[in-house]
Amino acid sequence: MVLQPRVFDTLRYLIENSSRVVSRQELLDALWKGQRVKPGAVPWCVNHVRRALGQRALDKYPID
């Protein structure tokens, strides 16, 4: 499966921190490091991670 680089980075970060809940702000700090991003950047990446894992984009439960 081919993932866009930022989606891959998001998935990797979530896997590396799978023992705890990762906040939106933590993802911004870790993956965008002070860059200005659109408000939808994190949800967009998370939705694509969900798709890659076979979940629906609108699922509200945590990614396992």
Side-chain angles (χ1 to χ4, degrees):
M1 173 176 286
V2 177
L3 298 176
Q4 293 186 16
R6 191 69 70 184
V7 175
F8 178 81
D9 292 343
T10 302
L11 177 58
R12 185 185 66 217
Y13 191 85
L14 292 172
I15 290 169
E16 290 172 349
N17 294 280
S18 63
S19 64
R20 60 190 181 80
V21 174
V22 175
S23 71
R24 177 183 187 273
Q25 187 61 50
E26 182 178 348
L27 286 173
L28 282 170
D29 293 343
L31 302 177
W32 282 270
K33 298 180 183 164
Q35 298 175 27
R36 289 187 181 206
V37 296
K38 294 180 181 180
V42 172
W44 185 88
C45 283
V46 170
N47 285 339
H48 281 79
V49 166
R50 285 184 185 283
R51 283 190 211 166
L53 297 174
Q55 297 179 354
R56 293 180 309 176
L58 297 177
D59 286 344
K60 297 295 181 193
Y61 55 88
I63 295 173
D64 288 330

